[in-house]
């Protein structure tokens, strides 16, 4: 997802009014209905939020049957130094899932971001970096195939490898190895775990694509909206589709496509239409990072919450109704503890389906309706105890920048923040216009 200059792992603390609790969402949770539907219904979490917060853990156990890593398997976290592996954060998350009969998505295995300095600033040949890439994927994927068989069922093997205009994104992997790094990563993952679902993951939302273009110094191009829900209308999707089709045709073991879905745009994409090309290639598709951020001034506005609820329900329905989609992962559960990477300079928030007081929002109600939760069910799941952990935080220091580069970064960050504010104004204006047309 975008926000390469200003992203932070944020705990929001945004004040929101506690909505009246819908019967289905609060009394029973959504997990039993998701199980009956055969849906991998998940949420992104971080181990810090799991540690010591019983209410948060119970929200997860009651409402989802899958959890997704956020940064726990980032390269810089798992292998901060050459050949030195730290699996403590990822192990804790996988153990929580295993103890509570959940499955796990490993997110962001090979990415242009989340890299340690020894990778970014290293002196590499194609052969030496290929060895590092292959060994890393083998070590990480193979660990959980052996340690926790059948628990980590999906991997986003490669993500965000394309720019808004559909051309390949610059990264150390592509710069040194070439475009073949994607095939190498998928082949290594398949060898390490023959049973896991292997996906390519990326984002297409209109405002997210626009923000990425600004930060990348590119001309602004169209992203996905309700009116541009055909892949052929979105340059980035065209580029991804072409490249994935070639890889699949060459026998690269790609099983599916993940659609990141931080829906900043006021007219969200129709995933049922947008994903059509995926099924044509014989692949599965998944909604992997779903949330609906709203302008921070509108977090408690009933009309805004209704819009958010409709977006949640519509996207969930798109997946449930599709033969080739059985995974829907929200990028968090409660606004109190969002793992969302803030890319809007604070202009948007309140993106999740439980509010900052852990009360279910209208989005929880509409998803309950889609899943067929019509009356309270007896609570049958108790959260398994989790040993308190304090996993080390591993950060990487980027290469030193020149003053000119620093000035450019500051300028782009300011532009991105301004774009976020403009986006919020656009959202409010469009929604106001819609409400006036449909009082």
């Amino acid at each position: 997802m975008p926000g390469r200059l200003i992203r932070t792992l944020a705990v929001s603390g945004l004040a929101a009014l506690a909505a009246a609790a819908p019967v289905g969402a609060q009394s029973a949770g959504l997990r039993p209905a998701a199980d009956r539907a055969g849906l991998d219904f998940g949420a992104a979490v971080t181990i810090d939020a799991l540690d010591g917060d019983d209410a948060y853990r119970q929200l997860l156990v009651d409402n989802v049957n899958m959890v997704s890593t956020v940064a726990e398997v980032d390269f810089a976290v798992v292998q901060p130094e050459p050949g030195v592996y730290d699996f403590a954060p990822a192990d804790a998350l996988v153990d929580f899932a295993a103890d509570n009969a959940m499955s796990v998505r490993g997110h962001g295995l090979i990415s242009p971001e989340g890299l340690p300095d020894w990778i970014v600033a290293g002196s590499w040949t194609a052969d030496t970096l290929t060895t590092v890439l292959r060994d890393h994927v083998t070590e990480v994927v193979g660990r959980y195939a052996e340690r926790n068989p059948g628990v980590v069922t999906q991997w986003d093997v490669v993500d965000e490898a394309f720019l808004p205009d559909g051309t390949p994104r610059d990264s150390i992997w592509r710069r040194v190895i070439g475009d073949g790094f994607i095939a190498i990563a998928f082949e290594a993952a398949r060898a390490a775990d023959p049973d896991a679902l292997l996906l390519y993951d990326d984002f297409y939302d209109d405002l997210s694509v626009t923000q990425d273009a600004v930060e990348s110094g590119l001309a602004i191009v169209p992203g996905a909206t309700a009116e541009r829900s055909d892949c052929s209308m979105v340059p980035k999707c065209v580029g991804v589709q072409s490249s994935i089709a070639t890889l699949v045709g060459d026998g690269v073991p790609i099983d599916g496509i993940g659609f990141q879905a931080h829906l900043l745009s006021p007219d969200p994409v129709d995933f049922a239409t947008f994903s059509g090309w995926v099924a044509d290639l014989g692949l599965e598709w998944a909604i992997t990072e779903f949330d609906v951020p709203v302008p921070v001034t509108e977090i408690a506005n009933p009309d805004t919450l209704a819009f958010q609820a409709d977006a949640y329900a519509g996207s969930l329905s798109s997946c449930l109704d599709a033969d080739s989609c059985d995974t829907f992962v929200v990028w968090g559960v409660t606004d109190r503890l969002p793992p969302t990477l803030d890319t809007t300079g604070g202009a948007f928030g309140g993106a999740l389906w439980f509010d900052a007081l852990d009360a279910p929002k209208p989005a929880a109600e509409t998803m309950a309706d889609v899943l067929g939760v019509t009356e309270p069910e007896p609570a049958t799941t108790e959260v398994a105890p989790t040993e308190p952990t304090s996993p080390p935080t591993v950060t990487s220091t980027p290469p030193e920048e020149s003053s000119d580069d620093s000035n450019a970064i500051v300028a782009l960050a300011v532009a991105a923040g301004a774009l976020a504010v403009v986006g919020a104004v656009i959202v409010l204006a469009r929604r106001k216009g819609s409400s006036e047309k449909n009082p």
Side-chain angles (χ1 to χ4, degrees), residues 17-302:
L17 297 180
V23 170
Q26 186 167 17
S27 299
L30 303 188
R31 181 175 178 175
D35 288 340
R36 288 195 298 271
L39 178 70
D40 286 329
F41 185 64
V45 302
T46 65
I47 195 60
D48 287 344
L50 290 177
D51 187 10
D53 192 325
D54 293 340
Y56 179 75
R57 292 200 300 272
Q58 193 67 55
L59 273 179
L60 290 169
V61 170
D62 286 348
N63 287 285
V64 300
N65 56 24
M66 169 179 271
V67 291
S68 171
T69 65
V70 176
E72 290 81 8
V73 295
D74 278 8
F75 205 118
V77 175
V78 173
Q79 195 181 174
E81 301 293 339
V84 178
Y85 288 86
D86 179 5
F87 289 105
D91 283 356
L93 183 58
V94 172
D95 289 345
F96 169 80
D99 290 344
N100 291 284
M102 295 172 165
S103 57
V104 176
R105 294 191 80 255
H107 168 70
L109 189 60
I110 296 297
S111 174
E113 296 186 330
L115 301 174
D117 188 59
W118 69 270
I119 289 286
V120 176
S123 298
W124 303 105
T125 67
D127 286 343
T128 57
L129 191 58
T130 294
T131 297
V132 168
L133 172 63
R134 185 179 289 120
D135 288 351
H136 181 83
V137 172
T138 300
E139 184 74 22
V140 177
V141 176
R143 174 181 180 81
Y144 295 106
E146 297 176 5
R147 181 180 184 269
N148 304 91
V151 175
V152 183
T153 58
Q154 300 183 18
W155 288 96
D156 291 335
V157 178
V158 177
D159 70 355
E160 301 181 17
F162 292 86
L163 290 166
D165 61 5
T167 59
R169 188 184 299 278
D170 181 56
S171 69
I172 188 67
W173 309 116
R174 181 171 182 267
R175 205 176 311 132
V176 176
I177 299 173
D179 292 335
F181 84 89
I182 297 177
I184 293 167
F186 275 94
E187 288 162 357
R190 172 60 75 234
D193 189 345
D195 299 322
L197 190 72
L198 308 181
L199 296 95
Y200 174 77
D201 193 49
D202 217 324
F203 62 90
Y204 306 89
D205 174 75
D206 188 43
L207 283 183
S208 299
V209 166
T210 297
Q211 184 177 347
D212 188 22
V214 170
E215 293 176 2
S216 301
L218 301 175
I220 294 175
V221 297
T225 65
E227 294 183 353
R228 291 193 295 270
S229 287
D230 189 295
C231 180
S232 65
M233 304 173 74
V234 179
K236 181 174 183 177
C237 188
V238 172
V240 171
Q241 177 186 11
S242 176
S243 296
I244 296 298
T246 298
L247 290 166
V248 170
D250 291 342
V252 176
I254 299 174
D255 298 317
I257 300 297
F259 292 105
Q260 297 180 20
H262 302 284
L263 299 184
L264 289 167
S265 298
D267 46 352
V269 62
D270 174 7
F271 285 105
T273 302
F274 197 67
S275 63
W277 64 274
V278 181
D280 291 344
L281 291 176
L283 304 179
E284 299 185 36
W285 61 278
I287 295 177
T288 60
E289 296 187 26
F290 189 87
D291 62 20
V292 185
V294 298
V296 293
T297 57
E298 299 294 306
I299 284 176
N301 185 316

